[in-house]
Amino acid sequence: MVRSSQRKGRKILILCEDRYGKPFFEKFVERLKNEELIRTSQKVDVKHLPGKCYPKTDRVLRALDFKDISKIIIVADAEGGDLEHAREEVEQHVPNHLKDLTRYVILPYSIEDWLCDGLNIGGSKSIPSFQRLRSYVRNTRGESYEKNMLPEFASKIDIELLRGKNEEFKKFIDYLNYL
């Protein structure tokens, strides 16, 4: 059994599908630390995950130096499909020696789900969050939302609103806080 004192210095690794998810999560985790929603001492690294069900995903996970990792959080998009199926697609690529360390955050459509919930962007949940966000940005800023804008929203989300509306976000916070 690993004592908590032996875990000191170990980090949590977040793997996200979105290319712009890496800078988003880096900024967002720093904000969560600043607002004391997660331990400020918690070391968190963020890497890009090639995709849910993509052969390169296996290689990325096998290449990890997991000796320094206390937990892996994989954030993946269901893209409007079945959440359990999306999780299974990712989970099949996780090597056996990393399965106990790995937690999953599966978003119904995409990371924009968190933006819509945290910015109180309404509309039908049957409309993908990316489309709802695009409409919101067009109406409020006169431009169209593009994926490269994702990192700037890390500071704009109302975290309490997001926590009240989004179960996957609550799981994410719990995963960051508890080894």
Side-chain angles (χ1 to χ4, degrees):
M1 183 169 152
V2 178
R3 292 191 172 99
S4 60
S5 62
Q6 290 174 302
R7 290 186 178 196
K8 200 171 197 174
R10 296 183 79 188
K11 66 183 170 195
I12 293 175
L13 175 63
I14 298 172
L15 295 171
C16 57
E17 279 188 277
D18 245 315
R19 189 172 79 179
Y20 295 103
K22 182 180 181 335
F24 169 80
F25 277 105
E26 289 169 343
K27 288 181 177 186
F28 199 53
V29 165
E30 199 55 41
R31 180 172 171 210
L32 294 173
K33 286 180 180 183
N34 290 338
E35 295 186 21
E36 299 181 351
L37 293 168
I38 62 173
R39 291 182 310 278
T40 57
S41 62
Q42 180 60 60
K43 294 178 182 177
V44 179
D45 192 13
V46 183
K47 294 195 182 301
H48 178 252
L49 183 70
K52 283 188 297 294
C53 194
Y54 187 67
K56 190 175 179 184
T57 301
D58 287 7
R59 292 192 301 276
V60 167
L61 290 169
R62 290 184 193 285
L64 292 176
D65 181 8
F66 66 93
K67 291 182 255 7
D68 290 335
I69 298 172
S70 59
K71 188 181 303 170
I72 299 167
I73 301 172
I74 297 178
V75 181
D77 305 336
E79 297 164 5
D82 181 68
L83 297 176
E84 190 57 36
H85 178 71
R87 178 192 162 116
E88 289 168 1
E89 282 186 310
V90 175
E91 197 170 22
Q92 72 180 331
H93 296 284
V94 176
N96 286 335
H97 68 282
L98 297 176
K99 287 198 185 286
D100 287 344
L101 300 177
T102 306
R103 306 294 179 270
Y104 304 90
V105 174
I106 307 298
L107 305 166
Y109 284 100
S110 63
I111 192 61
E112 284 79 11
D113 296 344
W114 287 5
L115 303 186
C116 287
D117 286 346
L119 294 169
N120 206 25
I121 298 170
S124 172
K125 293 288 184 179
S126 65
I127 298 172
S129 53
F130 187 86
Q131 290 177 9
R132 290 186 287 136
L133 185 61
R134 181 172 275 171
S135 178
Y136 170 83
V137 170
R138 188 178 308 113
N139 291 336
T140 59
R141 294 172 37 175
E143 57 187 350
S144 184
Y145 172 76
E146 299 295 333
K147 277 285 193 182
N148 65 346
M149 296 175 168
L150 179 60
E152 76 182 68
F153 283 92
S155 62
K156 295 178 178 14
I157 295 172
D158 180 328
I159 293 174
E160 288 308 311
L161 184 61
L162 177 58
R163 194 181 343 200
K165 287 184 165 193
N166 194 291
E167 289 301 315
E168 290 300 306
F169 178 70
K170 285 190 249 184
K171 284 187 350 188
F172 179 74
I173 293 291
D174 285 345
Y175 293 158
L176 288 170
N177 278 318
Y178 304 108
L179 299 175

